Amino acid sequence: MNTTIMILGILAAFVLLGYMCMKGWSIFISAPICALIIAATSGMDLLEAIMEQFLPGTGNYLAQWFLLFMLGALFGKIMEVSGAAASIARSVTQVIGSRNACVAVIIATSLMTYGGISLFVVVFVMYPFAVGLFQEADLPKRLLPGCIATGAFSFTAMALPGSPQNQNVLPTNYFGTTPTAAPILGILVAVYILAMSILYMNWRAKQARAKGEHFVPSEKDMAIIEANKKQQLPGIVASIFPLFVVVGTIIFLKWNTMVCLLAGIILSIILFFSRLKDDFVTTVNDGAMNSMTAILNTSLTVGLGSVVKASAAFTIICEAIDKISSGNGLIYEFVSINVLAGVTGSASGGLSIALDTLSSRLLATGIHPEILHRVASISANGLDSMPWCGSVMTMLAVCGLTHKDSYKDVAVVNIGITMTGAVLAIILGSLGIC
């Protein structure tokens, strides 16, 4: 089979995958179709590509990471239904106040995400408090997604050591590291991303005020704000304690992340059982089921990556990326993960495909595994926030906004700033800072 046709087939398949995701097609449909395109243009037997590459790749990833995804989703659901997550959001926003509305939203979402609450749960929980805060500050609602995205999808998920989020845990299995890998490098990059994002969003708020823009709520927003004022929530100490337990056991006791999440789940059930008991079974079932979409979406993209890896064009692609990176292993890692995260619209999906296919090659460079871990984790949060990213579309839908309204700010904080953060990580890693 002609090499050009094979490479064009792979590119076409991933472009189609991104397009289908943006148009609302299920990954259950788009991933097998794209796998067949890659197989056909690579001269592979179609049935063999599906049965011996795509399905085993999907199944192996599902078996390996199902429990992590399920426990994370379950913990997030319990914190949501109990009102504990909302209590954290309310307390932080009240302490920081409407004078610093952008900072308050960023810090509140960051705290919940770093504590192990699912990214999707954080978006739903944070919005009612964020929209009320923006009403008090009289800031246009279009700035909200940029603030939420900074806290929920950015530095806490991938740069801060000890984060229980998927992007920080996935590399451990490929590099033999722990979630606290390269702590100095991670903290420096996290501080940079946080500081730059706050500066940018505050500047955007200042611009909006200078133009005479105001908060314009919808009827739904007003109903949410009023309901939020009447909501009875648990105390902040009890609410935040399970988050400290999850992160503390990861950092100080070095427990397996899944054990740490389980400890957080058990503790949150004990603390909030009186709030959960009427809907306990429903809450647990919903939390477990919520994990299925996330894990299957990622597993299917990894299955697609397995077909790419089996293609004769895979070696050529690796060599091309190697030339672009000028032989630098960290740049190689950054480019490959970002490209895959971009076309799949998923940080964990792009990260998983890249590491599943390239981790042995990266380890062979002799770069410290902890540096490889941290740069990989940070690199996954860049082009993943393209317009067709599921997390971005969900967040905009929750906020009642469109890409035209708010995507510019999301792109700046979640693509521009996080990718420059990855460049900083490469520089620090090249200097041996770990």
Side-chain angles (χ1 to χ4, degrees):
M1 184 67 70
N2 184 280
T3 300
T4 302
I5 293 176
M6 288 191 291
I7 294 174
L8 288 176
I10 293 172
L11 292 174
F14 278 109
V15 169
L16 178 62
L17 179 69
Y19 177 80
M20 292 180 77
C21 289
M22 188 167 60
K23 290 297 182 180
W25 284 80
S26 169
I27 193 74
F28 287 69
I29 304 298
S30 57
I33 290 174
C34 293
L36 288 171
I37 292 172
I38 293 170
T41 55
S42 298
M44 301 165 66
D45 180 272
L46 299 186
L47 183 60
E48 183 177 302
I50 294 296
M51 298 301 294
E52 296 185 16
Q53 305 298 333
F54 179 76
L55 290 179
T58 300
N60 290 341
Y61 185 88
L62 180 64
Q64 187 174 11
W65 296 109
F66 166 73
L67 195 57
L68 176 68
F69 278 75
M70 192 272 286
L71 291 173
L74 181 56
F75 181 55
K77 191 65 179 178
I78 291 171
M79 293 293 286
E80 176 192 9
V81 174
S82 66
S87 176
I88 296 168
R90 174 183 285 178
S91 298
V92 174
T93 54
Q94 285 177 342
V95 169
I96 298 177
S98 60
R99 287 176 59 86
N100 298 289
C102 292
V103 177
V105 174
I106 289 171
I107 297 301
T109 50
S110 299
L111 184 59
M112 287 188 282
T113 306
Y114 186 58
I117 299 177
S118 168
L119 307 181
F120 287 100
V121 170
V122 170
V123 171
F124 284 97
V125 169
M126 193 63 217
Y127 181 70
F129 298 93
V131 75
L133 198 66
F134 268 51
Q135 181 195 40
E136 292 179 34
D138 196 25
L139 285 173
K141 196 172 70 167
R142 64 178 177 80
L143 298 178
L144 254 182
C147 297
I148 294 175
T150 298
F153 309 144
S154 183
F155 67 101
T156 53
M158 46 71 168
L160 279 180
S163 172
Q165 297 296 338
N166 298 331
Q167 293 96 306
N168 185 46
V169 179
L170 292 176
T172 62
N173 196 58
Y174 298 97
F175 298 130
T177 50
T178 68
T180 58
I184 297 173
L185 188 158
I187 290 171
L188 290 174
V189 173
V191 170
Y192 165 79
I193 293 174
L194 175 61
M196 293 299 295
S197 298
I198 288 175
L199 286 172
Y200 172 76
M201 291 311 305
N202 280 342
W203 174 68
R204 291 287 284 162
K206 186 177 179 179
Q207 272 191 327
R209 288 193 175 103
K211 292 178 181 177
E213 293 186 61
H214 301 280
F215 180 81
V216 181
S218 64
E219 290 185 14
K220 180 182 177 182
D221 289 334
M222 294 308 299
I224 289 173
I225 291 169
E226 288 303 314
N228 185 45
K229 290 177 181 177
K230 301 174 184 176
Q231 191 176 7
Q232 296 297 314
L233 301 174
I236 181 60
V237 175
S239 297
I240 207 167
F241 189 46
L243 275 62
F244 281 126
V245 167
V246 171
V247 177
T249 50
I250 290 174
I251 295 175
F252 299 111
L253 300 183
K254 309 295 183 183
W255 288 0
N256 182 283
T257 305
M258 289 180 278
V259 176
C260 299
L261 284 169
L262 182 59
I265 289 169
I266 293 171
L267 179 59
S268 59
I269 291 173
I270 293 171
L271 289 173
F272 309 121
F273 187 73
S274 60
R275 291 174 167 270
L276 299 168
K277 61 182 180 182
D278 293 338
D279 298 303
F280 182 72
V281 175
T282 301
T283 299
V284 172
N285 286 344
D286 287 348
M289 288 304 297
N290 287 346
S291 68
M292 292 308 298
T293 300
I295 182 64
L296 286 173
N297 284 352
T298 306
S299 297
L300 287 162
T301 57
V302 172
L304 181 60
S306 297
V307 179
V308 174
K309 187 177 181 180
S311 166
F314 178 70
T315 301
I316 299 170
I317 294 171
C318 289
E319 290 174 352
I321 297 175
D322 200 28
K323 287 181 180 179
I324 293 172
S325 59
S326 302
N328 185 305
L330 295 179
I331 297 176
Y332 181 90
E333 185 177 46
F334 167 75
V335 173
S336 58
I337 291 173
N338 253 294
V339 169
L340 289 167
V343 295
T344 59
S346 168
S348 56
L351 181 63
S352 300
I353 295 174
L355 296 186
D356 196 51
T357 54
L358 302 172
S359 57
S360 297
R361 182 185 177 95
L362 291 169
L363 285 168
T365 63
I367 298 171
H368 196 296
E370 289 199 11
I371 294 175
L372 288 173
H373 170 131
R374 190 56 55 205
V375 172
S377 182
I378 294 169
S379 297
N381 285 69
L383 294 181
D384 69 306
S385 294
M386 297 299 279
W388 52 82
C389 171
S391 299
V392 171
M393 291 191 289
T394 298
M395 178 179 61
L396 292 175
V398 170
C399 295
L401 296 163
T402 65
H403 281 75
K404 183 179 180 181
D405 296 324
S406 302
Y407 182 71
K408 175 183 176 181
D409 294 327
V410 175
V412 170
V413 297
N414 268 33
I415 297 179
I417 294 176
T418 55
M419 287 186 71
T420 58
V423 172
L424 174 60
I426 290 170
I427 294 171
L428 295 173
S430 298
L431 294 173
I433 295 173
C434 184

